[in-house]
């Protein structure tokens, strides 16, 4: 092979860069090979909508990064990363004019719920917040650790005890609609939780949508949903600066075409330009499971059962996104929405449920649920004073069989993409009359455009595979998983296709790096024992 490193990381997304940093901290020489011309994967920003506006092309708000012990341990503030927060975290305006708002701090959130939805909603919210406080920080640590999370799991068990542990387990398996029925008397708090659950592919009636919605809402209440100052790409830049300061390297425009496997062991990779890079200790793949297995690694080097299991791998839905440069703030009829970084748009819980069922059944919604980011509200550096850099996205079926709004097929050619972008803008107009008159420029990112911009976003999927319970924990990406090692020795899956899944938390990369370090430590220990045994045998000493 023509080049070599201790570890080769395939893909410079956040998981790949976190893995590379951890290995570099342990003295490994690391090379990160990235197919795109820029690092960062789905953590990237540009001025492609308008030269005066910074737009995040993929992810924007990062509550999991704020809560992640892995990210915190990297001390990225020393490498230029700064976080910014909107005045409030999340707002969900409703058709009747009321608005549910999530704030940093339980008192502010509960006070807002009491004012719009009554004391019962505020009391129920405080109960759920108290449960979060009781389990902090062990719950987040358990979720982000390799499965099973023994140390964090024992700490959670100690906090809860047997009786409360069973009740907590029941709560976490509930559909979010049922949780709302049990805890609240009005719709406001339920809408906050249900909208958070729909960041993933979870119907309000599906288990465990309550757990996902509660997790994301509580993270926002404790840590906020912060955004990097200057654009999402600032997080990537800090990770790259840190890595290079440790002697690591990132090579962009270098597409890996295969992992070299000999005798069941990964020896390195080959690239599209014909180069080969030897990996003395490990190869870590920050790519989808479907790209690694049967793609970068031949099926001839993998168990037959894996091929059959991967046939059942479930992708999350596609994503349709529009970025806007606006000449003024979005003119919300609900004043609370103007202060939130993120807005959820659905008139009521029935509309949320209808949307989720329609997407799951391959029908394109006429009234899509929208997630909207007000980036200048969250970070004033994103656009000139008095303007707004904003975006909206919605999930769409991976294979459209019917358009309930009429006429679209899911081919996502330019005409269809423009028509669906218009549909999203019409939805915003319902809650913010005059919105469309403020648009200076827009960029449309259909599922096809998202995948073209980032090959890991297969079909516009954001989370590396479905977050449904049948593809979590030991079932991610296939049954018997839950940990980064693959059937090939010294090869580790480090992407969101691995446990714990999507989100900018770095845990998938960190878990893969630590698995590689653990294998190396065990190999060194075995070598020492063999050498010690040889010396003892040569001197006649008994063992």
């Amino acid at each position: 092979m023509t080049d070599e490193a201790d570890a080769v990381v395939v893909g410079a997304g956040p998981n790949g860069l976190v893995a590379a940093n951890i290995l570099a901290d342990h003295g490994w020489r690391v090379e990160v090979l990235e197919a795109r011309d820029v690092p960062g994967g789905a953590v990237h920003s540009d001025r492609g909508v308008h030269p005066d506006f910074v737009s995040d092309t993929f992810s924007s708000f990062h509550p999991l990064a704020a809560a992640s012990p892995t990210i915190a341990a990297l001390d990225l503030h020393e490498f230029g990363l700064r976080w910014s927060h909107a005045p409030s975290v999340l707002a969900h305006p409703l058709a009747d004019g009321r608005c549910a708002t999530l704030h940093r701090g339980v008192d502010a959130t509960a006070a807002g719920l009491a004012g719009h939805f009554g004391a019962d909603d505020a009391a129920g919210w405080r109960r759920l917040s108290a449960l979060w406080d009781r389990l902090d920080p062990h719950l987040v640590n358990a979720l982000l650790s390799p499965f099973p999370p023994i140390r964090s799991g024992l700490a959670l068990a100690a906090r809860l005890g047997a009786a409360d542990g069973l009740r907590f387990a029941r709560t976490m398996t509930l559909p979010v609609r049922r949780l709302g029925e049990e805890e609240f008397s009005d719709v406001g708090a339920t809408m906050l939780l249900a909208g958070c659950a729909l960041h993933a592919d979870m119907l309000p009636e599906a288990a465990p949508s309550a757990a996902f919605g509660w997790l994301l809402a509580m993270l926002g209440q404790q840590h906020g949903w912060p955004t990097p100052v200057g654009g999402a790409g600032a997080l990537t830049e800090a990770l790259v600066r840190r890595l290079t300061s440790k002697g690591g390297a990132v090579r962009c425009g270098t597409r890996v075409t295969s992992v070299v496997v000999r005798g069941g062991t990964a020896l390195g990779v080959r690239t599209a330009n014909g180069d080969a890079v030897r990996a003395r200790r490990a190869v870590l793949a920050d790519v989808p499971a479907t790209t690694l297995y049967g793609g970068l690694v031949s099926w001839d080097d993998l168990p037959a059962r894996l091929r059959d299991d991967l046939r059942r791998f479930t992708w999350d839905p596609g994503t349709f996104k529009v970025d806007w440069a606006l000449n003024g703030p979005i003119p919300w009829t609900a004043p609370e929405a103007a202060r939130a970084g993120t807005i959820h748009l659905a008139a009521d819980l029935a509309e949320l449920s209808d949307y989720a069922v329609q997407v799951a059944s391959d029908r394109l919604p006429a009234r899509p649920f929208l997630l909207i980011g007000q980036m200048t509200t969250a970070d004033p550096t994103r656009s000139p004073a008095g303007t707004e850099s904003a975006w909206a996205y919605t999930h769409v079926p991976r294979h459209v069989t019917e358009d309930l709004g009429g006429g679209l097929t899911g081919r996502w050619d330019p005409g269809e993409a423009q028509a669906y972008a218009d549909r999203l803008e019409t939805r915003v107009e319902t809650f913010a009359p005059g919105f469309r008159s403020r648009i200076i420029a827009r960029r449309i990112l259909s599922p096809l455009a998202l995948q073209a911009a980032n090959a890991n976003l297969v079909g516009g999927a954001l989370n590396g595979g479905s977050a449904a319970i049948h593809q979590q924990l030991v079932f991610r990406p296939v049954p018997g998983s839950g940990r980064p090692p693959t059937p090939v020795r010294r090869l580790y899956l480090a992407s969101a296709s691995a446990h714990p899944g999507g989100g900018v938390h770095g845990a998938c990369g960190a878990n893969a790096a630590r698995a590689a370090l653990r294998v190396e430590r065990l190999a060194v220990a075995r070598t020492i024992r063999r050498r010690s045994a040889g010396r003892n045998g040569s001197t006649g000493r008994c063992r």
Side-chain angles (χ1 to χ4, degrees):
M1 292 192 170
T2 59
D3 195 4
E4 67 177 21
D6 291 318
V8 173
V9 178
V10 183
N15 281 308
L17 292 173
V18 166
N21 269 280
I22 290 173
L23 294 175
D25 285 347
H26 286 78
W28 288 31
R29 180 172 173 265
V30 185
E31 285 215 22
V32 183
L33 307 182
E34 167 59 44
R36 298 175 67 210
D37 292 334
V38 293
V43 182
H44 176 67
S45 50
D46 64 16
R47 295 181 180 269
V49 178
H50 187 284
D52 294 335
F53 290 69
V54 175
S55 301
D56 295 333
T57 49
F58 309 107
S59 68
S60 286
F61 294 103
H62 301 112
L64 287 165
S68 169
T70 294
I71 299 294
L74 297 178
D75 294 323
L76 293 178
H77 61 279
E78 297 180 5
F79 298 89
L81 178 65
R82 292 182 295 134
W83 294 107
S84 183
H85 294 263
S88 58
V89 176
L90 165 68
H92 196 133
L94 302 177
D96 62 10
R98 295 181 296 171
C99 186
T101 307
L102 179 68
H103 296 274
R104 281 187 287 164
V106 61
D107 291 340
T109 304
L113 291 171
H116 282 297
F117 304 97
D120 286 347
D121 269 27
W125 191 268
R126 286 188 181 277
R127 286 192 296 272
L128 292 177
S129 299
L131 177 61
W132 175 267
D133 292 341
R134 185 177 178 185
L135 300 179
D136 183 59
H138 304 301
L139 180 59
V140 169
N141 292 344
L143 291 172
L144 299 183
S145 299
F147 192 83
I150 296 173
R151 183 179 301 176
S152 299
L154 290 173
L156 286 173
R159 289 279 179 95
L160 289 168
D164 285 350
L166 286 173
R167 287 168 174 79
F168 172 71
R170 177 189 179 275
T171 298
M172 292 300 98
T173 61
L174 287 175
V176 71
R177 179 186 285 271
R178 179 58 193 166
L179 179 66
E181 292 168 351
E182 293 183 2
E183 296 293 338
F184 308 117
S185 60
D186 208 331
V187 72
T190 302
M191 293 301 287
L192 288 178
L193 297 177
C196 287
L198 284 175
H199 283 232
D201 55 322
M202 294 190 180
L203 279 69
E205 293 74 28
S209 57
F212 194 90
W214 175 72
L215 169 69
L216 203 53
M218 291 299 110
L219 286 172
Q221 188 168 263
Q222 182 179 14
H223 299 281
W225 290 2
T227 189
V229 173
L235 174 56
T236 294
E237 291 165 5
L239 285 166
V240 171
R241 279 194 291 268
R242 188 185 189 281
L243 177 61
T244 55
S245 76
K246 302 284 183 177
V250 179
R251 291 166 52 185
C252 292
T254 306
R255 183 170 64 88
V256 171
T257 55
S258 65
V259 175
V260 179
V261 179
R262 297 287 186 274
T265 299
L267 302 182
V269 301
R270 296 191 186 280
T271 69
N273 59 11
D275 292 338
V277 184
R278 179 186 177 190
R280 289 188 292 264
R281 294 174 168 179
V283 175
L284 288 75
D286 183 11
V287 300
T290 54
T291 299
L292 180 63
Y293 300 130
L296 299 183
V297 178
S298 168
W299 287 121
D300 294 337
D301 294 311
L302 296 165
R305 176 174 290 183
L306 178 60
R307 187 172 193 168
D308 187 55
D309 285 338
L310 202 65
R311 182 174 60 83
R312 295 172 170 82
F313 181 81
T314 307
W315 281 105
D316 41 317
T319 304
F320 189 100
K321 181 172 181 280
V322 185
D323 295 315
W324 294 293
L326 306 176
N327 64 13
I330 300 176
W332 301 107
T333 54
E336 299 92 338
R339 295 172 53 81
T342 300
I343 312 294
H344 291 166
L345 282 192
D348 50 34
L349 189 57
E351 189 170 274
L352 267 182
S353 294
D354 288 345
Y355 154 85
V357 169
Q358 290 160 9
V359 172
S361 57
D362 294 335
R363 293 173 293 163
L364 194 61
R367 294 189 296 277
F369 166 61
L370 301 188
L371 298 95
I372 296 174
Q374 301 184 129
M375 302 315 302
T376 308
T377 298
D379 172 17
T381 71
R382 301 297 182 93
S383 67
T387 67
E388 185 72 67
S389 175
W391 52 258
Y393 80 79
T394 187
H395 294 304
V396 296
R398 296 183 67 80
H399 307 287
V400 175
T401 60
E402 181 183 5
D403 177 16
L404 300 178
L408 304 185
T409 66
R411 290 193 305 267
W412 301 124
D413 58 34
E416 287 205 352
Q418 291 179 30
Y420 206 63
D422 291 344
R423 191 178 301 181
L424 268 60
E425 291 176 0
T426 299
R427 289 288 287 160
V428 180
E429 281 276 341
T430 303
F431 296 87
F435 162 73
R436 299 192 78 176
S437 68
R438 301 197 173 182
I439 298 173
I440 301 171
R442 74 178 183 182
R443 173 172 58 191
I444 302 170
L445 295 170
S446 71
L448 297 181
L450 286 168
Q451 181 173 332
N454 183 344
N456 280 12
L457 306 180
V458 178
L462 299 181
N463 289 315
S466 173
I469 191 63
H470 69 270
Q471 198 163 273
Q472 291 287 23
L473 306 176
V474 295
F475 307 118
R476 190 173 189 92
V478 297
S481 303
R483 289 181 172 269
T486 72
V488 176
R489 290 186 296 274
R490 302 199 320 190
L491 174 64
Y492 303 88
L493 181 61
S495 72
S497 288
H499 171 77
V504 183
H505 43 63
C508 305
N511 293 342
R514 289 167 186 151
L517 290 167
R518 183 166 54 251
V519 167
E520 181 73 9
R521 286 195 298 270
L522 291 173
V524 170
R526 285 194 297 268
T527 298
I528 292 172
R529 285 197 299 270
R530 285 196 300 267
R531 290 175 178 173
S532 176
R535 288 195 299 270
N536 290 341
S538 65
T539 58
R541 291 197 298 267
C542 294
R543 299 192 303 275

